[in-house]
C-alpha cells in the first residue's frame, strides 16, 4: 500500500484518530494537509509526519465557520495542486442530557458533524473528479444504535451515514469512492474536546468495557481501517463498524 505523492486532507488531525491517521499516511509517502484548532498539537502531528518524510501543510481554524471550509480546500490545492483523499474526521460530542440541550448546542453539533463534512466534500469535489479520489467520513457506532452518545451526536452521525451513501452513489460515475468508518469507544482526547473531564471519559470506558470484547480501541486501529477503505478499489457507500465486537453485545 503506497500513497506516494498522493495529497490527503485530514480534519481534526491535532489529536486522536485524526493524528494517528495523518501519521499512518505519512509512513506511506502521502503529502498531508492537516486541519485543527489547537496550533501546538497540530504542529506535534506535523512534526511526527515530517520525521517520516512527509510534506505537511498545517491549516489552523474552526470548522464551525463557513469560510474556513472552503479555505481548507483552497489552501490545500494552492500548496499541492490536487486532492486525492479527504478524511472528514473532526468532531465532538455534546455531553449533556437532552433536556438540557439548547438550540445553540444543537446548531453547533450540526455544524461540526454534518455541515463541515458535507461542504468540505462539495468544495473538494472538482478536485476529486480530476484524481478519481476518495473520501472517508468518520462516523460512529452511536449512529447504529441508541446505547451510546448523546442524542444530537447520534442523530447527526446518522445524517453523516446517509450522506456517505448518497454522495457515494452520486460520485461513482466519476470514479470517486465515499465510505464511512464507524468506531466504538476509542482512547483519545474526545472527552476534553467535548468539554467533559477525563474522569467522565474513564467512567464511559468503565461502563462500556464489557461491550468491547476485543478491548477498548486505539486510534491507530481506526487509522488502519481508514487506510483500508482508501485502498479498496471496489468499496464505496459502506459504513464500516470498527467496534471491537460492541454491536454484537447490545
Ligand atoms: N473517541 C471515540 O470514542 C470515538 C468513537 C466514535 C467516533 N469518534 C469520532 O472520531 C472523530 C475524531 O474524534 P477523536 O476520538 O479522535 O477525538 P479527539 O482526540 O478529541 O479529536 C477531535 C478532533 O476534532 C477537532 N475538532 C473538534 N471540533 C472542531 C472544530 N470546531 N473545528 C476544527 N476542528 C475541530 C479537534 O481539533 P482541536 O483539538 O485542534 O480543537 C481534534 O483534532 C470524531 O468525529 C468523533 O465523533 C470518536
Amino acid at each position: 500500500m503506497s500513497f506516494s505523492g498522493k495529497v490527503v486532507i485530514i480534519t481534526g488531525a491535532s489529536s486522536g484518530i485524526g493524528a494517528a491517521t495523518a501519521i499512518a499516511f505519512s509512513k506511506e509517502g502521502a503529502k498531508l494537509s492537516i486541519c485543527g484548532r489547537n496550533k501546538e498539537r497540530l504542529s506535534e502531528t506535523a512534526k511526527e509526519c515530517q520525521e517520516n518524510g512527509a510534506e505537511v501543510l498545517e491549516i489552523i481554524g474552526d470548522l464551525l465557520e463557513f469560510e474556513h471550509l472552503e479555505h481548507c480546500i483552497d489552501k490545500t490545492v494552492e500548496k499541492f495542486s490536487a486532492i486525492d483523499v479527504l478524511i472528514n474526521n473532526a468532531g465532538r460530542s455534546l455531553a449533556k442530557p437532552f433536556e438540557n440541550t439548547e438550540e445553540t448546542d444543537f446548531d453547533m453539533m450540526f455544524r461540526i458533524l454534518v455541515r463541515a463534512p458535507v461542504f468540505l466534500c462539495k468544495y473538494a469535489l472538482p478536485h476529486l473528479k480530476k484524481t478519481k479520489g476518495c473520501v472517508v467520513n468518520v462516523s460512529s457506532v452511536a449512529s447504529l444504535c441508541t446505547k451510546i452518545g448523546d442524542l444530537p451526536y447520534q442523530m447527526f452521525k446518522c445524517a453523516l451515514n446517509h450522506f456517505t451513501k448518497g454522495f457515494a452513489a452520486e460520485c461513482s460515475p466519476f470514479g470517486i469512492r465515499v465510505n464511512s468508518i464507524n468506531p466504538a469507544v476509542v482512547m483519545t482526547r474526545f472527552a476534553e474536546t467535548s468539554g467533559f473531564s477525563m474522569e467522565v471519559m474513564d467512567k464511559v470506558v468503565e461502563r462500556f468495557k464489557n461491550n468491547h470484547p476485543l478491548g477498548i480501541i486505539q486510534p491507530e486501529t481506526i487509522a488502519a481501517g481508514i487506510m483500508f477503505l482508501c485502498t479498496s478499489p471496489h468499496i464505496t457507500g459502506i459504513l464500516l463498524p470498527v467496534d471491537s465486537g460492541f454491536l454484537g453485545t447490545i
Side-chain angles (χ1 to χ4, degrees):
M1 170 173 46
S2 172
F3 285 89
S4 186
K6 301 287 181 195
V7 180
V8 181
I9 307 185
I10 305 170
T11 67
S14 52
S15 175
I17 295 168
T21 304
I23 293 160
F25 273 108
S26 73
K27 291 178 182 164
E28 298 298 331
K31 295 176 182 171
L32 291 160
S33 175
I34 57 174
C35 314
R37 290 171 301 184
N38 187 304
K39 195 174 183 318
E40 213 168 287
R41 287 194 197 129
L42 196 66
S43 292
E44 280 169 29
T45 306
K47 190 164 172 279
E48 207 166 329
C49 293
Q50 281 155 349
E51 281 166 8
N52 291 328
E55 204 178 332
V56 183
L57 172 68
E58 293 169 57
I59 305 179
I60 314 283
D62 193 336
L63 293 169
L64 294 176
E65 306 302 331
F66 235 140
E67 319 76 66
H68 188 58
L69 304 175
E70 205 162 5
H71 176 77
C72 290
I73 302 301
D74 289 349
K75 280 278 152 199
T76 303
V77 175
E78 197 180 298
K79 166 90 176 159
F80 295 122
S81 310
I83 297 174
D84 295 279
V85 178
L86 168 64
I87 311 293
N88 279 310
N89 165 72
R92 56 166 292 163
S93 85
L94 191 53
K96 276 188 188 176
F98 184 66
E99 59 187 352
N100 298 342
T101 299
E102 306 293 342
E103 289 174 13
T104 48
D105 296 325
F106 195 82
D107 186 50
M108 180 273 291
M109 289 294 281
F110 174 78
R111 286 202 274 166
I112 188 63
L113 296 183
V114 182
R115 193 176 80 170
V118 166
F119 279 88
L120 283 166
C121 283
K122 181 190 160 170
Y123 299 133
L125 184 56
H127 308 289
L128 292 169
K129 279 183 183 174
K130 289 182 197 157
T131 57
K132 298 191 189 308
C134 72
V135 176
V136 177
N137 294 320
V138 180
S139 182
S140 170
V141 291
S143 63
L144 305 174
C145 66
T146 53
K147 298 286 180 218
I148 192 166
D150 51 72
L151 206 38
Y153 184 78
Q154 292 172 8
M155 290 167 60
F156 295 141
K157 290 293 193 185
C158 282
L160 184 63
N161 292 351
H162 205 80
F163 173 71
T164 296
K165 292 194 225 173
F167 191 50
E170 284 206 8
C171 284
S172 295
F174 305 113
I176 301 169
R177 296 178 308 102
V178 184
N179 292 293
S180 90
I181 194 150
N182 297 55
V185 176
V186 188
M187 282 313 295
T188 64
R189 279 206 188 87
F190 196 58
E192 189 185 317
T193 305
S194 307
F196 54 97
S197 66
M198 274 322 277
E199 287 79 57
V200 176
M201 185 68 181
D202 289 344
K203 278 188 193 153
V204 172
V205 170
E206 192 53 36
R207 179 169 164 221
F208 288 108
K209 208 169 57 185
N210 294 336
N211 298 102
H212 290 70
L214 299 177
I216 297 294
I217 306 164
Q218 295 302 320
E220 292 71 21
T221 303
I222 306 304
I226 290 171
M227 302 286 277
F228 165 75
L229 289 172
C230 290
T231 50
S232 303
H234 294 282
I235 295 183
T236 196
I238 69 148
L239 316 175
L240 177 67
V242 177
D243 70 342
S244 231
F246 178 89
L247 291 168
T249 68
I250 55 165

